[in-house]
Amino acid sequence: MTEQRQANWAEEAVREHAEDAAVHDHELAQYPSGADHPSREQQVLDRIEKARARKPKVKEERITLAHGAGGKATQSLVEAIFLDSFRNPLLEPLEDAATVTANGTRLAFTTDSFVVSPLFFPGGDIGDLAINGTVNDLAVSGATPMSLSAGFILEEGFPVADLRRIVASMKAAAEAAGVQIVTGDTKVVERGKADGCYINTAGVGLLDPGRELGIATARPGDAVIVSGPVGEHGMTIMLERGELDIEAELVSDTAPLHELVATLLEADSGVRAMRDATRGGVATILNEVAQAAGVAVVVNESDVPVRAEVRGACELLGIDPLYVACEGRLVTIVDGSRTDEALAALRSHPLGAEAAVIGRIADDPPGLVLLNTGFGGTRIVDLLVGDPLPRIC
Amino acid sequence: MRFVDEYRDADKARALSAKIVGLCEPGRQYKFMEVCGGHTHTIYKHGLEDYLPESITLVHGPGCPVCVIPMGRVDDAIALAEQPDVIMTSFGDMMRVPGGRGSFFDSKAAGTDIRMVYSPLDALKIARQNPDKHVVFMAIGFETTAPSTAMTALRAEAEGIENFSIFCNHVTIIPAIKAILDSPDLRLDGFIGPGHVSTVIGCRPYEFIAAEYDKPLVTAGFEPLDILQSVYMLLLQLSEGRSEVENQYGRVVPWDGNMVALRAVEQVMELRPYFEWRGLGFISHSALRMKEHFARYDAERHFSLPGVRVADPKACQCGEVLKGVLKPWECKVFGTACTPETPIGTCMVSSEGACAAYYNFGRFSRERVRQASQPQPVTIEAGARKA
């Protein structure tokens, strides 16, 4: 026999959960079956939920790409490292923007960094992405976007012509969104220490004093609406990288959502919460809703709008379009009795012309997203651990 | 979408489901194994079990190429990536598979150059573009992917490329099925045969399963209706007292396989005396290595590898899950110590593994959801109404 050793990380994980395993054995021995007790499968499911609800830990010794993919690994990193140190009531809800109050005025405050590769892609570039991304985080928080900052990290050797092009599209995007870039910063790093150009934007927006939005307010009976077809930005970027040898007529959906949001809110459409479906896609947002509100989100696969090109590419790559990023789509949870008004309001704006109700909020099973598949079956839609594909926003 | 939607038609599924129920003998329990991880994925992704009566259990087999790679081989691959001036290339689904000391992603984070490719030919392209580096391709998969690896070795030889080698981990499906058939606690009534593997090897190699073990096998496609129809065909064989090899996936699988692909594999690779499978242990003649003639493209001969075996953790019950003795959730560590983030056992490793598919897609009580979707009877208790 060859030399042999143990996988220490695995033995460690087993030890850590040894108590769970003992309880498991005990429970299974006690209740082989019977209607008076939860089924054996249900007991296992309950214990898994308990294990999932534990305080997240970052077990890796180094940061991996999965930590930036927006899924479970990102969630663990944010909660175990950032939230754990910075914890305060304004940060804790982990919404797209924080609500800060100054002299009685409520402001939404947010920040986002952009590292997309390639920098220029069909339908947009890193410049308009950087403006729209922050405008959208403010808008879906219910705020009117006001002022933005722009920080640039540039790599030695980066063509000035490319920078001009990026800045021109930032200017155009800011004008379209009715915001001004009022402060900024520039750093240059040595060749090889960055990928051309990274941009960080932060923004503040004015909140309506009477409006409280938040995903934790979702309740059974509410409707789940998306403002248009999903996954176009993410798939455009994946195809544009040229690694897949797939060609499709696709452009990014990058767009500022402030007008669409204003139209929706003005229509008195019973909005409980809005999110823009960026990294991690619609599936990640729905999981956040289910967890924050302690409800079930039930989605009908055939009702989710997906363009044929996106669906085709997803089929070939084995990716679920529900996880593919958008940069100009919002997901909103509205009072079930106001569904028609909300849908009509969204559809009255060009960016929401293809809005669709994709599901509803239910009470059971709490914390999970259930999908009624086009085939007629049922499954859950979980958070991904990470994303096997390169960064996309 | 054409060529997809017609195989996901809910009306046809309901009709097939009724025929399946009609064929089940009352009181009899059926266990069918889908050998291929792609089938497992389809079953959970589309919620196919909702169409099957409770008397039919689908057991998820060993046909997930990423899952069966033992941890020691992952460590060897990482050791290769750590050699100076080496670029390691791999299919994307291998990136997160942990070995004894971590995964490709962890190794990449620690500074090695590991790149995802979509085909071994892409690895060869990287070799051409980086003449001062040595490019290793981590070859994994059953007979499905072995031909493309073989073709790549032939191409490298034809072009005289010297800075390229293959870390060959190709495995063969028949010995794994035989290992399961020979296990004393086997409880299977039939097999849903692998689809993609059969496009290469055809259906003849399965004939011994019907002849010697008296179990029916139906080679199946990867859309949900394909699998449902295969279950129906298996039940039909059982009800008529037959055990034969049948081909449901005739639109892609030729009965005799793909001779060109098989010849390429034979030209480049040969059977290993034995190979370790994660969860199943050592199986003789179950994997391929590079032939002597292709020694210069064989990473195992090019570099010296640690070759240290990493034991499967004792708590892991993958072997029982693979044989259908346990359901994924009946394993002690399922969903607690063993999750897709920290997969202790093979079945949790890739999305095609039985436990991962159950965890990612099936982690809810079908019974409860069924009850919740029934209209609730309205009862008004006396005194409960407010005036």
Side-chain angles (χ1 to χ4, degrees):
Chain A
M1 183 61 79
T2 46
E3 197 188 335
Q4 185 168 330
R5 57 185 172 79
Q6 286 189 329
N8 291 330
W9 63 268
E11 300 297 341
E12 173 93 4
V14 172
R15 266 197 302 278
E16 202 180 298
H17 292 271
E19 220 172 279
D20 297 328
V23 174
H24 177 104
D25 270 5
H26 179 70
E27 282 174 357
L28 289 192
Q30 259 195 328
Y31 308 133
S33 61
D36 295 338
H37 305 290
S39 70
R40 294 164 63 194
E41 185 179 17
Q42 188 59 50
Q43 292 172 41
V44 175
L45 294 173
D46 292 345
R47 192 170 43 257
I48 292 170
E49 285 315 309
K50 247 183 274 166
R52 285 168 69 90
R54 283 186 179 193
K55 203 171 165 228
K57 277 188 197 162
V58 174
K59 290 183 178 144
E60 296 85 352
E61 282 172 24
R62 290 171 192 274
I63 295 298
T64 73
L65 288 173
H67 288 119
K72 275 181 220 167
T74 306
Q75 225 180 40
S76 298
L77 185 77
V78 168
E79 289 181 24
I81 297 196
F82 298 128
L83 185 59
D84 206 44
S85 295
F86 302 151
R87 189 176 302 276
N88 64 63
L90 299 187
L91 177 64
E92 205 133 23
L94 295 177
E95 289 279 0
D96 282 343
T99 303
V100 291
T101 309
N103 286 337
T105 306
R106 290 168 72 236
L107 295 170
F109 180 35
T110 189
T111 183
D112 210 337
S113 298
F114 297 82
V115 296
V116 66
S117 165
L119 296 171
F120 303 94
F121 46 83
D125 58 46
I126 190 171
D128 45 34
L129 210 58
I131 300 299
N132 292 340
T134 291
V135 164
N136 291 347
D137 280 345
L138 294 171
V140 297
S141 307
T144 307
M146 293 162 57
S147 306
L148 265 55
S149 72
F152 294 85
I153 296 172
L154 304 172
E155 184 186 4
E156 179 187 21
F158 186 66
V160 172
D162 283 357
L163 185 61
R164 283 191 205 281
R165 209 175 137 192
I166 290 167
V167 169
S169 73
M170 287 176 81
K171 175 172 183 259
E175 278 170 10
V179 295
Q180 282 185 310
I181 298 159
V182 294
T183 182
D185 178 55
T186 312
K187 296 284 184 294
V188 179
V189 297
E190 278 170 60
R191 192 186 292 272
K193 298 279 167 75
D195 190 6
C197 170
Y198 301 147
I199 302 176
N200 171 278
T201 52
V204 288
L206 195 58
L207 279 164
D208 187 329
R211 186 169 285 123
E212 288 289 345
L213 298 173
I215 53 172
T217 63
R219 64 190 75 157
D222 287 354
V224 181
I225 302 178
V226 295
S227 66
V230 304
E232 279 156 49
H233 174 75
M235 196 46 75
T236 303
I237 297 295
M238 279 184 235
L239 298 188
E240 192 60 18
R241 289 205 178 104
E243 293 159 2
L244 306 174
D245 279 333
I246 302 174
E247 281 181 32
E249 292 281 314
L250 269 177
V251 292
S252 166
D253 48 32
T254 176
L257 294 171
H258 63 295
E259 279 180 12
L260 183 67
V261 166
T263 312
L264 179 65
L265 291 176
E266 279 159 21
D268 187 23
S269 44
V271 175
R272 303 231 198 264
M274 293 174 284
R275 281 282 173 110
D276 62 334
T278 56
R279 196 178 51 173
V282 172
T284 300
I285 291 176
L286 298 181
N287 269 284
E288 286 167 4
V289 172
Q291 283 163 18
V295 294
V297 179
V298 184
V299 177
N300 296 316
E301 191 174 37
S302 347
D303 294 339
V304 179
V306 186
R307 285 207 203 292
E309 294 87 344
V310 174
R311 207 178 146 210
C314 281
E315 282 290 334
L316 284 173
L317 299 171
I319 300 171
D320 190 334
L322 283 172
Y323 294 104
V324 182
C326 317
E327 287 291 342
R329 301 283 182 242
L330 63 82
V331 176
T332 177
I333 312 294
V334 304
D335 183 334
S337 65
R338 311 289 298 159
T339 310
D340 293 343
E341 287 84 349
L343 200 59
L346 285 170
R347 286 183 177 166
S348 73
H349 190 277
L351 284 175
E354 293 172 76
V357 178
I358 62 166
R360 64 189 167 80
I361 306 291
D363 53 3
D364 191 69
L368 286 182
V369 179
L370 288 179
L371 184 76
N372 295 319
T373 68
F375 183 62
T378 310
R379 66 167 162 102
I380 62 167
V381 179
D382 206 355
L383 281 177
L384 292 185
V385 175
D387 190 336
L389 294 150
R391 59 179 197 258
I392 48 171
C393 65
Chain B
M1 190 166 30
R2 280 186 70 203
F3 307 122
V4 172
D5 292 336
E6 50 270 55
Y7 297 104
R8 296 180 187 174
D9 185 308
D11 292 331
K12 289 203 178 72
R14 272 189 289 274
L16 257 175
S17 173
K19 284 164 83 176
I20 286 171
V21 171
L23 278 179
C24 289
E25 275 174 46
R28 179 169 174 186
Q29 292 291 318
Y30 299 88
K31 276 192 179 177
F32 299 128
M33 170 177 281
E34 84 276 3
V35 175
C36 177
H39 287 149
T40 309
H41 189 79
T42 298
I43 288 163
Y44 280 103
K45 187 164 179 218
H46 296 276
L48 187 130
E49 287 179 318
D50 288 339
Y51 284 109
L52 296 179
E54 277 180 14
S55 58
I56 298 179
T57 307
L58 295 178
V59 176
H60 318 304
C64 161
V66 171
C67 306
V68 300
I69 300 297
M71 287 195 267
R73 295 293 280 189
V74 178
D75 290 353
D76 284 350
I78 289 173
L80 280 174
E82 286 167 351
Q83 303 288 321
D85 295 321
V86 161
I87 301 173
M88 176 57 100
T89 55
S90 162
F91 292 137
D93 41 5
M94 196 67 219
M95 297 297 289
R96 210 178 284 124
V97 177
R101 292 180 299 137
S103 65
F104 275 173
F105 264 136
D106 297 320
S107 171
K108 189 162 135 63
T112 59
D113 190 348
I114 303 181
R115 303 185 191 177
M116 272 184 267
V117 290
Y118 296 88
S119 141
L121 287 173
D122 293 343
L124 200 59
K125 196 158 101 189
I126 295 174
R128 261 184 241 117
Q129 290 162 348
N130 296 275
D132 52 336
K133 302 268 185 180
H134 184 92
V135 176
V136 181
F137 175 65
M138 170 85 182
I140 57 157
F142 288 89
E143 287 91 336
T144 326
T145 51
S148 63
T149 304
M151 293 287 193
T152 304
L154 291 169
R155 173 84 68 92
E157 189 183 41
E159 291 183 20
I161 295 175
E162 295 292 337
N163 63 327
F164 175 75
S165 64
I166 290 163
F167 184 39
C168 187
N169 292 283
H170 285 295
V171 284
T172 55
I173 192 73
I174 298 295
I177 296 181
K178 200 162 179 315
I180 285 168
L181 280 165
D182 286 337
S183 102
D185 43 3
L186 171 87
R187 300 170 188 181
L188 298 175
D189 298 283
F191 289 91
I192 297 170
H196 290 150
V197 167
S198 307
T199 60
V200 176
I201 66 171
C203 293
R204 281 196 199 288
Y206 307 123
E207 282 169 353
F208 77 98
I209 298 170
E212 292 170 33
Y213 292 88
D214 204 24
K215 306 279 182 202
L217 180 144
V218 176
T219 302
F222 290 88
E223 291 298 330
L225 275 182
D226 288 326
I227 296 173
L228 216 51
Q229 189 180 25
S230 304
V231 171
Y232 169 74
M233 288 167 76
L234 285 170
L235 283 167
L236 197 63
Q237 287 202 35
L238 291 174
S239 71
E240 292 172 357
R242 291 183 290 129
S243 57
E244 294 166 10
V245 177
E246 291 182 316
N247 187 6
Q248 185 275 338
Y249 204 21
R251 65 183 189 274
V252 178
V253 172
W255 190 264
D256 291 312
N258 179 339
M259 288 316 291
V260 177
L262 288 171
R263 261 197 298 272
V265 174
E266 205 188 306
Q267 210 178 332
V268 175
M269 298 173 204
E270 63 189 6
L271 280 175
R272 291 174 192 267
Y274 56 85
F275 191 74
E276 189 192 3
W277 291 53
R278 209 172 158 185
L280 292 175
F282 287 91
I283 304 177
S284 59
H285 300 105
S286 66
L288 299 168
R289 66 181 175 201
M290 306 293 284
K291 276 187 172 168
E292 183 66 40
H293 176 77
F294 289 88
R296 64 179 168 144
Y297 295 118
D298 184 355
E300 283 175 84
R301 293 186 228 213
H302 215 98
F303 299 93
S304 80
L305 297 178
V308 178
R309 189 172 174 262
V310 178
D312 284 331
K314 283 192 198 67
C316 172
Q317 295 179 290
C318 280
E320 279 75 17
V321 173
L322 286 175
K323 282 179 283 193
V325 180
L326 288 185
K327 291 191 175 135
W329 55 265
E330 287 175 316
C331 169
K332 274 180 201 182
V333 291
F334 177 81
T336 51
C338 184
T339 62
E341 297 96 296
T342 55
I344 304 282
T346 155
C347 305
M348 192 61 98
V349 170
S350 117
S351 62
E352 293 189 353
C355 293
Y358 181 87
Y359 189 93
N360 289 326
F361 295 138
R363 202 184 63 241
F364 67 99
S365 164
R366 281 178 200 280
E367 193 49 39
R368 257 169 74 179
V369 168
R370 221 171 279 146
Q371 281 167 6
S373 58
Q374 303 289 329
Q376 297 293 318
V378 181
T379 50
I380 300 168
E381 285 170 40
R385 279 175 78 183
K386 278 186 186 157

